[in-house]
Amino acid sequence: MSRLPLPQLTFDNEFFWTSGADGVLRIQECGDCAALIHPPQPVCRYCRSHKMGVREVSGRAVLSAFTVNHRFSIPGLPAPYVVAQVAVEEDPRVRLTTNIIDCDPDDLELGQVVEVVFEQNEDVWLPLFRPTAENETAALPEDDIAPQDFGTFVRPMLTAEKFEDAAAITGIGASKLGRRLMVSPLSLTIEACEQAIADAGLTLADIDGMSTYPAMDAMGMGEGGVTALEGALGIRPTWFNGGMDTFGPGGSVIAAVMAVATGMARHVLCFRTLWEATFNQLMKEGRLAPPGGARANNWQAPFGATSAAHTLALNAQRHFHRYGTTKETLGWIALNQRANAALNPTAIYRDPMSMADYLDARPITTPFGLYDCDVPCDGAVAVVVSAVDAAADAPKPPVYFEAVGTQIIERIDWDQTTLTHEPQVLGQAAHLWTRTSLRPNDVDVAELYDGFTFNCLSWLEALGFCGIGEAKDFLDGGTAIARDGVIPLNTHGGQLSHGRTHGMGLIHEAVSQLRGEAGDRQVDDARVAVVSSGGLTPSGVMLLRTEA
């Protein structure tokens, strides 16, 4: 059976996906600086030349990361299988997502030299790799930017005044949260938005801005965005925003602050809805068609790398290899989130969990097991961002914006970017600290994106709560991230135990903590909170405070 999906052939990539017809691997090359460029582009990212061509390469590469996938399958490629990244011998800056074949996964080691083997599927020749007969080894690819050096690439502030000072959070709301609520996603959105507007002491007539992410209804990822909500409520916003090319899932809030700062809106309603649990159930029942098709427009899916779990697992493996991180290191994050969720009546997973429970959970894709992954659920979260002068009249204490971090420094391509940390974390974190005089030891609560445990680890190191590569010691025993520890982490249970609300739930919790409204899980005297949003795709991070 042919694999599905196969790559969609385009003017730019056809040479790559068909080059195996004669058994030769070909990569795009810059005619001026001779750099290899992947994925193919109309211009060289290194010298900006438009003189682009194609070069035949040896087909030899070094194994730079791999994960053994146990959970996911695609037609023609049943689990388990190895998803890998290999660095091309002629230019190790080029890394190909692929499968390693013709070997026992237990025998694989980073640094092995591998060679290309083409597998024909219809009109496509997929470049797979196998260890060379001589079992050679080579140096691993180097960082494009060393993790500790990201701060040197941050651009300085352009003005002495910060746009962050113009706005505050005045209202928060959340719908009911559950595993298969079997209700309309738009009804969840409206429930959360009505709560947030009421919490801010406003009415629908006061709302003149709307902001969301990702502004679509696909795979249980939303209700249809501003279009759907405005159609239901008739708000008629002066300013609106939505889309995935923004500062992560919580980027709708950062965009709202900008709208308020420029005078485009006075009260912006930000919202995010997930209904993945119901969507998946409806697919099982045959009432919804599964997403995707026979062809894919990305460079990972044809090799069965169908989840962000695969990409993050590769980076996690390199972190393990370089810094001595262990699976138990990730386990302390999962256990911390579960302990906090036990005190949160809205959390989905509240039962106690031990390290043995964590380690014995079924594997997903190495090194990740079930409890390294967040919980698909149904729910919506809403936040009202208001002008500072209006916030003074709000019924609840306003939560102010101290600083944001948004700068993209590394490559965005999932398999060409940062080696040892989640992509789109190190740069944004470094940017944050250039926009404030506060420092990590001033932060009382950290609500850090935890779609997977490794997301959290990456943010902890990037933000400076521990040094680069020091998470193993910092997280050991879990005391440093407990509610009474050095930096209380994901106090509502995070996405790992509370539920996957794509960053907006973290903002909701940060506001609850800074208001002193978190109940049994309240951190004493919480005045400053950091909230991160996303990673892999463009992301963002915010520093919030209680005082103007």
Side-chain angles (χ1 to χ4, degrees), residues 95 140-148 322-323 417-420:
R95 298 195 294 275
L140 291 169
E142 297 181 358
D143 297 288
D144 184 31
I145 302 172
Q148 62 270 20
R322 181 180 294 181
Y323 301 120
T417 187
T418 298
L419 291 170
T420 55

Side-chain angles (χ1 to χ4, degrees), residues 12-34:
D12 295 327
N13 70 27
E14 186 171 2
F15 80 88
F16 178 86
W17 294 118
T18 61
S19 66
D22 62 359
V24 177
L25 183 64
R26 294 175 174 86
I27 306 289
Q28 188 184 50
E29 180 185 43
C30 173
D32 283 329
C33 73

Side-chain angles (χ1 to χ4, degrees), residues 3 82 99-104 108 117 119 128-131:
R3 293 194 192 195
V82 175
N99 302 126
I100 303 296
I101 61 171
D102 297 343
C103 70
D104 186 332
L108 290 175
V117 181
E119 176 188 283
L128 312 181
F129 285 79
R130 66 187 177 196

